[in-house]
Amino acid sequence: MQLYYLCNTINLDQTPKLNKTNTVGIMPFVISRPAHFLPRIAYSIYLSVRNLGLNFYANYFLRSFAKKNMAHTGAVSENLQELYDNYYAPEIDTWREIGAIQKAENILDVVGKHRFGNLLEWGAGNGALLHKLAQTGIASEFYAAEISESGIKQIEHRQIPMLKTAIVFDGYSLPYPDKFFDVVVLSHVLEHVEHQRMLLREIRRVAKNLIIEVPRDYKSGVDIKAQSLFDYGHINVYTPSLLRFLLKSERFELVADKMSFSSDALLLFAAQARSKFLVKIRIKLYTLLRDFAYRISPYWRKETMINAYTIWCKTDSTN
């Protein structure tokens, strides 16, 4: 298969917006150009808060976890499946369980009241998110595909009632017929993938819908601190605009989206070794200023502030 690659550069000032009726989690008003100084002031305050260290908890735990548990050299291993085979320990990973709660909430927010017949989680990890989704009633049947043997064992151990099958696969091709799944969930996977277009084309083949979430890793100067992303396996970086561009170029029809921050529960867990009282005060101050800056900022600025982006797409079955 011939692969095509995007030049991942954008002009944030020219970032297009989705139709407001199809957008979830974005404030319903727009700051006019004459009032542009307000977002600038608010964003300056937000950056000042970050510089004081109040944004520390948003990134501390994931970075610490990655450095302790992943020996990534900055280049993708040729035998990536072997690297992940024993990645998921039998113990419950509290941070994954907390993260799964927010990921499931984001998915429910973008699909609204829509429900599906069967759902596959592509890159299901240890099954934390799939388990949470099964409890929501978003689908009547669930499937899992994962490159890690240890991940599959954890999924099976959960005994998810509506789980039909959980298979180990190569990360790119599935043994299912065309349009077999009503929806595929791809949550925090695409940033790890070497051949993202190959993966998306296989999803278009086997599914009618795609729900995807990625972390917002892109920012100006991202290449300078690239090793910090490589340390936990992120070899692709996205903003909402970059992800939408990629999906549109692969003929996905965008339905609804959501931009989100890390939950307070995850921030608190990240700082669990510190004084709970002081941590709660600092996190509260941080989130108040962050949310204020977000509300009054223009859309292109919002894209640089969030932690994750979730989008629901329909696949084009005519081609």
Side-chain angles (χ1 to χ4, degrees):
M1 177 184 293
Q2 187 176 9
L3 297 177
Y4 298 88
Y5 294 90
L6 295 177
C7 178
N8 287 343
T9 59
I10 59 170
N11 183 340
L12 290 177
D13 288 310
Q14 297 177 358
T15 301
K17 302 176 185 176
L18 284 179
N19 187 305
K20 285 195 296 183
T21 59
N22 292 336
T23 303
V24 179
I26 297 174
M27 295 306 294
F29 64 88
V30 178
I31 298 297
S32 62
R33 285 293 177 184
H36 66 278
F37 64 91
L38 289 176
R40 288 183 179 179
I41 292 173
Y43 193 67
S44 296
I45 295 172
Y46 167 72
L47 290 178
S48 297
V49 172
R50 292 182 62 180
N51 291 336
L52 287 172
L54 300 180
N55 194 41
F56 172 78
Y57 307 109
N59 300 308
Y60 167 78
F61 187 78
L62 286 179
R63 293 182 186 277
S64 298
F65 177 86
K67 290 181 179 179
K68 291 178 182 178
N69 294 275
M70 293 187 70
H72 203 284
T73 62
V76 179
S77 170
E78 292 182 359
N79 198 349
L80 190 60
Q81 185 164 339
E82 182 179 345
L83 173 67
Y84 277 98
D85 270 345
N86 299 309
Y87 182 68
Y88 297 101
E91 298 82 10
I92 294 296
D93 288 325
T94 305
W95 78 273
R96 283 196 176 94
E97 300 299 318
I98 295 174
I101 294 172
Q102 184 176 18
K103 292 172 184 176
E105 290 175 352
N106 290 340
I107 290 171
L108 291 175
D109 284 344
V110 297
V111 303
K113 296 181 179 180
H114 192 91
R115 293 298 179 262
F116 303 94
N118 59 2
L119 178 153
L120 166 76
E121 186 180 5
W122 184 302
N126 70 349
L129 174 57
L130 195 66
H131 199 177
K132 293 293 187 298
L133 290 174
Q135 295 170 353
T136 68
I138 192 173
S140 55
E141 295 180 352
F142 293 86
Y143 296 74
E146 169 58 40
I147 67 172
S148 167
E149 290 277 3
S150 59
I152 292 296
K153 290 179 181 178
Q154 292 305 304
I155 293 170
E156 293 173 344
H157 181 72
R158 290 176 183 272
Q159 298 183 336
I160 301 171
M162 294 170 285
L163 180 65
K164 294 300 181 181
T165 60
I167 64 169
V168 175
F169 77 135
D170 64 3
Y172 293 102
S173 58
L174 287 171
Y176 296 103
D178 293 356
K179 304 304 176 186
F180 180 80
F181 295 106
D182 282 343
V183 63
V184 164
V185 170
L186 190 72
S187 182
H188 292 254
V189 172
L190 201 60
E191 64 272 15
H192 298 274
V193 174
E194 294 176 83
H195 308 299
Q196 53 189 349
R197 291 181 177 275
M198 183 186 295
L199 182 153
L200 290 173
R201 289 168 189 174
E202 179 68 353
I203 289 177
R204 286 188 63 249
R205 184 187 71 79
V206 300
K208 302 170 186 175
N209 294 271
L210 166 66
I211 301 170
I212 180 171
E213 181 172 296
V214 295
R216 193 277 305 161
D217 285 333
Y218 177 84
K219 59 183 177 181
S220 178
V222 66
D223 58 307
I224 297 173
K225 297 183 178 180
Q227 189 61 48
S228 65
L229 295 175
F230 297 154
D231 282 343
Y232 47 101
H234 290 199
I235 60 172
N236 304 308
V237 294
Y238 302 99
T239 65
S241 291
L242 282 174
L243 181 60
R244 289 195 301 270
F245 185 91
L246 174 62
L247 292 170
K248 287 181 178 180
S249 72
E250 289 296 329
R251 304 193 304 277
F252 286 87
E253 178 188 347
L254 313 184
V255 179
D257 69 345
K258 177 185 179 181
M259 301 194 292
S260 59
F261 294 103
S262 297
S263 68
D264 288 358
L266 188 59
L267 299 184
L268 281 170
F269 180 75
Q272 60 182 336
R274 294 166 174 77
S275 167
K276 288 289 185 181
F277 177 73
L278 293 178
V279 166
K280 287 181 179 179
I281 292 176
R282 298 185 74 180
I283 288 176
K284 188 64 175 178
L285 176 60
Y286 162 69
T287 56
L288 285 173
L289 291 174
R290 177 201 68 192
D291 294 346
F292 171 72
Y294 180 85
R295 283 196 300 270
I296 69 172
S297 294
Y299 185 81
W300 65 267
R301 181 70 79 183
K302 287 181 170 72
E303 286 203 350
T304 69
M305 298 169 65
I306 61 169
N307 296 115
Y309 182 60
T310 314
I311 188 166
W312 172 23
C313 308
K314 291 184 178 295
T315 61
D316 177 9
S317 60
T318 60
N319 293 309

